[in-house]
Amino acid sequence: MVLRETKPAEPLAFDTDKCIGCNRCLEACQIDIMIPSEEKGSPPLVAFPDECWYCGACVMECPTGAISLQHPLMNQVRWAEKSSLTARSEA
Amino acid sequence: MYQGREWPYPSEIDQTETLTADVLVVGGGIAGCMAAIAAARRGQKVILVDKGAVKRSGAGGTGIDHWESAATNPCSRVTPEELHKAMMDDNDGYNNPISHYIECREGWDRLLDIEQMGGKIRDTEDEFKGAEFRDEETKLLFAYDYHARYTLRVWGTTFKPAMARELKRLGVRVLERVMVTSLLTKDGKHGSDCIGATGFHTRTGKFYIMRAKATIIATSRPARVWLFSAAYPGLCEFRPLQCIGDGHAMGWRIGAEFCMMEKSVRAQFSASGRSYPPYMAGNNHNTWYPATLIDATGREIPYVDRDGNILPDVRSRCYPAKGQRFFLKGGNVEEAKYEYLGPETLPWDKLKEMGYKLPFYADLTAMPEHERKAIWGLMVGQEGKTMVPVYQYLNNAGFDPTKHVIQCYGAGWTSAEFLPQERQLFGAPGGFMNDWYLMTNIPGLFAAGDALFSSNCYGHAAATGYYAGRHAARFAASRSLHDFDAHQLEQERERVYAPLLNKRGFGWKELNHAICKTMQNYCGELKEEGLLLAGAERLSHYEKDIVPYTSASNPHELMRLLEVHNILTVAQMILEACLVRKQDCPPLEFYRADSGGQAPKPFLVIRHDGEKTVCREVPLDFAGDVKENYERRNQDYIEEKEVG
């Protein structure tokens, strides 16, 4: 058993195979939530994930498509096939 | 996880850099960039300071989908004067008559500017050829009122990078990752001329002294005054986390005048709280207008005109009613007065009576293809913080707007119902009082964009930014640099670094939450003298007894903490503004439990004279005849435009 920090959200996920460690994402972030990795060529560390505004500037700047941004679970909206609604009403 | 990790940037806390400029711009968002561009084009040496990085910073950093009030665009059927009159009238005069005239008059000029810088404002690829909302000759696309055509649909993700390139081309010195902490005044005196500012680097801690002949505050409106979440502070408000009204706090501390600070509205956007991220949930407002809504059984919800007549098709949602010149719709228009009221879906109470079932859904499936693509792909996509977190995210998850419908939360576009005491500065909130040059009462201190009182949207920010830049340039050309006051400077340096010396103490989140709880309890929807005074006393306790014991462990945290010190100052200013207005004032959404029932007073403009708050009454029509007063002061600009 170990002690672990419980995070309310992890806004950014880096694909380490795609990331070239250029830190352009870090430089594009107006809130400065990332710091450079200690290992050259590796993704930056998301040091202040709670401060993320979820604007997506980091993803827009990434030259290799290595970053995915995801809102916390509570903010993921529901969507449905329209036909499922009409089917429900007909049933 | 990173506990104890060494701060990755070198410490420059013991270093000071002194810079000089003709015009200093504080804030690198839309207004700040346009201000710097205007001043630099007039041959001034310009420094622009931004806490973030200009390419994508500010509320509009990742985009904008529509540009309001472009009344002088070649297809507009509304004059700037008509539109301005409607905007003032719709708020019963409690609106900024000068800044909104500038917006109506020069907004289109700024779009042309941005296009020249490389921004995309036309459908050059003919993606929407033949669409109802497209002008085939100019290839401009319009939103909302397709007859009046004063609001444009634009590709706003291209705008900020274009501005950043233009700043570079013009040789503007851009200082990024620097937080401006105070405004310097002549001889260090309260209320005297602004002669520059101080700041520090938010990665290295280096101290900056910026001497300038004119200073433009282009910072945001305040935020996180009532709303806070320690888990999701970045989602507390509509605008970015660092946009909390630094300019308001710094201006108040040197004696600048503020207007409408008593106005706050029941919260509309707080995705850390009750609402969903803007534009993500189903709705039919703003970016999503004129989306079709359906109920839980797939039954379409009717749109009606201002007289309650059911509209027959999608097209008619975008035209004024019979006998109406134009309607108001967009970011800040919730429900316009009858004269300016556009089509809306039937209200919830009526729908309930008619047997419509919750939840509702936004349904683009049966809309004409151009309308569907305008909402899903252009508006949702080009609007700030939608391209990645909404458009790409939902597309990647399999959402198909021709087949799927998105659930709505609540009955309006805010997608939630907040409590009365959960408030925010939204819908044209308070800010710096300005004259016809967008100068404040402090000589040499100008304000633009969201720093101004009753600000609204992207077009307002760009137009007022450029205008302030022009007039600050002219002011600077007639002034010389002043030496700063050593005592004022040393006091500020000490204030800024003190939290780094406190190894233990209150952190920024704890203080922010305390301020918000105080404001919810003492300055909620219904104000009362005794409660306001008790709130002011509590905030004063935080200022005197808590702030000296706040602590930060690195320059980033220091920035967050000094922001909260600014939020505290803003909260104090709001309480002062609420205390001077003794009567209800519905247009400001201001209600007093102890209101005497007299008619509302006009603008109550407040400032701090160093010891106490002083207030003066200003008539709502203080700007006079806007066309005449604008033209008298902007002949050079008008002539420049005529020459082309």
Side-chain angles (χ1 to χ4, degrees):
Chain A
M1 281 183 280
V2 292
L3 283 173
R4 191 179 75 156
E5 186 189 351
T6 308
K7 289 184 186 174
E10 291 195 62
L12 303 179
F14 290 85
D15 182 333
T16 46
D17 291 338
K18 287 184 184 168
C19 178
I20 53 170
C22 66
N23 286 334
R24 280 198 223 174
C25 50
L26 180 157
E27 296 303 340
C29 176
Q30 60 178 318
I31 299 166
D32 217 10
I33 70 167
M34 291 168 257
I35 57 173
S37 167
E38 283 173 321
E39 278 172 55
K40 219 172 173 213
S42 293
L45 302 180
V46 186
F48 308 100
D50 52 332
E51 296 176 21
C52 183
W53 184 52
Y54 296 82
C55 71
C58 53
V59 179
M60 289 162 93
E61 200 62 23
C62 178
T64 62
I67 314 172
S68 55
L69 172 73
Q70 186 165 301
H71 266 284
L73 182 60
M74 66 166 183
N75 278 342
Q76 290 173 24
V77 296
R78 300 291 295 163
W79 45 277
E81 282 223 19
K82 190 183 177 184
S83 55
S84 70
L85 303 184
T86 37
R88 201 188 307 159
S89 94
E90 280 154 16
Chain B
M1 189 176 174
Y2 310 122
Q3 200 81 27
R5 197 194 128 154
E6 194 100 337
W7 187 242
Y9 303 104
S11 172
E12 295 179 326
I13 283 168
D14 51 357
Q15 293 181 32
T16 298
E17 188 173 347
T18 304
L19 303 162
T20 59
D22 297 314
V23 176
L24 170 68
V25 182
V26 182
I30 308 145
C33 286
M34 295 307 285
I37 287 166
R41 283 179 181 172
R42 273 151 190 78
Q44 300 296 299
K45 185 181 166 193
V46 182
I47 297 177
L48 182 150
V49 194
D50 191 8
K51 283 194 282 190
V54 165
K55 187 178 176 186
R56 290 289 179 202
S57 66
T62 46
I64 182 68
D65 60 343
H66 73 276
W67 185 292
E68 297 178 11
S69 313
T72 61
N73 87 74
C75 305
S76 170
R77 294 195 174 100
V78 185
T79 67
E81 291 74 32
E82 281 177 303
L83 188 57
H84 176 265
K85 184 178 172 297
M87 290 162 87
M88 296 303 116
D89 185 30
D90 201 45
N91 288 284
D92 294 311
Y94 290 86
N95 203 345
N96 192 327
I98 295 171
S99 72
H100 291 296
Y101 187 70
I102 295 166
E103 175 192 2
C104 293
R105 181 93 185 215
E106 297 188 11
W108 168 245
D109 300 347
R110 299 293 73 81
L111 267 171
L112 290 177
D113 252 353
I114 292 167
E115 184 177 37
Q116 269 206 324
M117 296 173 203
K120 181 169 154 75
I121 69 164
R122 294 170 214 264
D123 181 26
T124 42
E125 279 88 44
D126 295 331
E127 209 184 328
F128 293 92
K129 201 172 168 48
E132 183 87 19
F133 49 83
R134 185 180 195 258
D135 176 65
E136 295 302 324
E137 199 185 319
T138 59
K139 304 192 179 198
L140 294 172
L141 306 186
F142 303 95
Y144 314 134
D145 188 331
Y146 295 173
H147 173 77
R149 298 187 159 193
Y150 63 86
T151 300
L152 278 82
R153 285 172 156 141
V154 291
W155 287 258
T157 56
T158 61
F159 286 10
K160 272 310 287 298
M163 290 179 203
R165 285 194 300 272
E166 183 69 359
L167 289 168
K168 200 170 174 190
R169 195 186 70 80
L170 289 166
V172 171
R173 168 107 194 245
V174 178
L175 278 183
E176 296 180 331
R177 313 290 173 194
V178 172
M179 177 181 186
V180 172
T181 64
S182 77
L183 298 169
L184 297 169
T185 52
K186 199 172 155 191
D187 304 323
K189 281 191 186 148
H190 192 93
S192 82
D193 299 23
C194 181
I195 58 162
T198 62
F200 79 99
H201 198 280
T202 64
R203 289 180 178 173
T204 69
K206 183 187 191 178
F207 196 69
Y208 287 90
I209 303 166
M210 293 158 275
R211 298 170 64 206
K213 298 172 188 172
T215 300
I216 303 171
I217 295 289
T219 51
S220 73
R221 59 186 57 178
R224 298 207 317 267
V225 182
W226 285 268
L227 303 171
F228 192 71
S229 158
Y232 308 102
L235 286 172
C236 282
E237 298 254 4
F238 189 82
R239 281 168 166 67
L241 171 103
Q242 83 283 11
C243 290
I244 50 78
D246 289 330
H248 284 57
M250 292 188 289
W252 181 251
R253 289 187 195 123
I254 64 160
E257 285 188 331
F258 286 83
C259 188
M260 279 174 47
M261 290 308 296
E262 65 275 37
K263 178 180 178 182
S264 64
V265 301
R266 191 184 290 207
Q268 301 179 357
F269 298 98
S270 182
S272 66
R274 292 168 210 282
S275 65
Y276 282 78
Y279 323 110
M280 196 174 196
N283 73 95
N284 64 333
H285 292 260
N286 196 278
T287 289
W288 281 78
Y289 193 82
T292 298
L293 294 188
I294 57 172
D295 82 346
T297 67
R299 185 178 168 200
E300 187 173 321
I301 293 166
Y303 272 81
V304 290
D305 69 12
R306 61 178 178 171
D307 294 308
N309 301 309
I310 289 180
L311 300 174
D313 49 24
V314 172
R315 181 184 177 276
S316 50
R317 297 169 193 172
C318 299
Y319 285 87
K322 211 176 166 194
Q324 188 180 30
R325 287 265 300 116
F326 59 95
F327 63 78
L328 293 177
K329 208 176 266 290
N332 285 294
V333 186
E334 280 174 67
E335 193 174 342
K337 286 182 175 174
Y338 178 80
E339 197 176 344
Y340 315 110
L341 184 60
E344 289 287 347
T345 37
L346 279 172
W348 162 239
D349 289 350
K350 184 86 185 154
L351 293 169
K352 201 161 65 173
E353 254 173 52
M354 293 164 76
Y356 283 87
K357 302 269 184 269
L358 287 171
F360 296 160
Y361 294 82
D363 174 14
L364 310 182
T365 63
M367 292 187 78
E369 195 186 355
H370 282 144
E371 293 289 350
R372 181 171 57 244
K373 284 187 169 170
I375 294 173
W376 192 257
L378 180 57
M379 303 289 271
V380 179
Q382 293 299 322
E383 170 64 347
K385 58 188 191 282
T386 65
M387 175 61 89
V388 173
V390 182
Y391 185 66
Q392 286 180 8
Y393 172 74
L394 284 175
N395 282 349
N396 290 342
F399 175 76
D400 176 352
T402 65
K403 277 200 295 203
H404 299 121
V405 293
I406 301 189
Q407 205 172 102
C408 306
Y409 301 88
W413 75 302
T414 56
S415 74
E417 279 293 319
F418 286 82
L419 300 174
Q421 69 272 30
E422 292 175 330
R423 310 191 68 73
Q424 62 189 163
L425 298 187
F426 211 77
F432 281 90
M433 181 66 180
N434 57 278
D435 68 8
W436 262 107
Y437 302 104
L438 295 186
M439 192 158 80
T440 69
N441 61 311
I442 303 288
L445 183 68
F446 294 76
D450 265 9
L452 290 163
F453 84 92
S454 211
S455 63
N456 58 357
C457 58
Y458 204 110
H460 178 268
T464 57
Y466 200 84
Y467 186 99
R470 268 190 349 247
H471 288 282
R474 188 194 287 167
F475 181 93
S478 66
R479 295 282 170 131
S480 49
L481 287 170
H482 281 279
D483 285 333
F484 49 83
D485 178 74
H487 178 67
Q488 187 177 38
L489 198 70
E490 285 321 307
Q491 264 192 327
E492 177 60 8
R493 195 198 298 268
E494 205 177 299
R495 183 188 80 89
V496 165
Y497 292 122
L500 287 177
L501 303 174
N502 290 339
K503 294 295 167 214
R504 295 178 66 181
F506 295 93
W508 69 272
K509 289 182 177 178
E510 188 169 359
L511 180 58
N512 200 158
H513 219 149
I515 296 165
C516 290
K517 192 156 186 165
T518 299
M519 291 300 279
Q520 287 204 9
N521 281 326
Y522 298 89
C523 189
E525 187 169 65
L526 196 58
K527 279 85 174 172
E528 197 268 332
E529 189 86 5
L531 264 189
L532 291 169
L533 286 169
E537 190 275 321
R538 189 149 189 175
L539 294 182
S540 167
H541 157 63
Y542 295 154
E543 185 190 6
K544 290 194 185 86
D545 307 326
I546 304 301
V547 164
Y549 299 100
T550 49
S551 158
S553 58
N554 57 60
H556 179 92
E557 222 184 292
L558 182 63
M559 158 173 63
R560 294 286 98 93
L561 179 61
L562 293 177
E563 286 169 353
V564 177
H565 291 184
N566 287 341
I567 291 171
L568 176 58
T569 300
V570 166
Q572 290 175 308
M573 192 199 320
I574 289 171
L575 282 176
E576 294 294 319
C578 292
L579 279 163
V580 298
R581 191 173 282 284
K582 310 281 183 199
Q583 307 292 332
D584 289 350
C585 186
L588 296 177
E589 304 204 24
F590 183 84
Y591 299 97
R592 291 273 302 231
D594 47 1
S595 183
Q598 288 99 327
K601 297 252 187 193
F603 291 128
L604 298 177
V605 174
I606 58 166
R607 70 182 165 86
H608 201 261
D609 72 358
E611 287 172 5
K612 61 183 184 315
T613 297
V614 289
C615 170
R616 69 181 172 106
E617 271 189 40
V618 174
L620 299 180
D621 61 353
F622 76 95
D625 181 319
V626 286
K627 185 169 189 286
E628 192 189 309
N629 278 319
Y630 168 88
E631 287 177 358
R632 197 190 307 152
R633 291 167 178 87
N634 292 283
Q635 269 311 309
D636 53 345
Y637 176 75
I638 293 166
E639 280 162 25
E640 224 173 80
K641 266 178 56 181
E642 276 165 9
V643 176

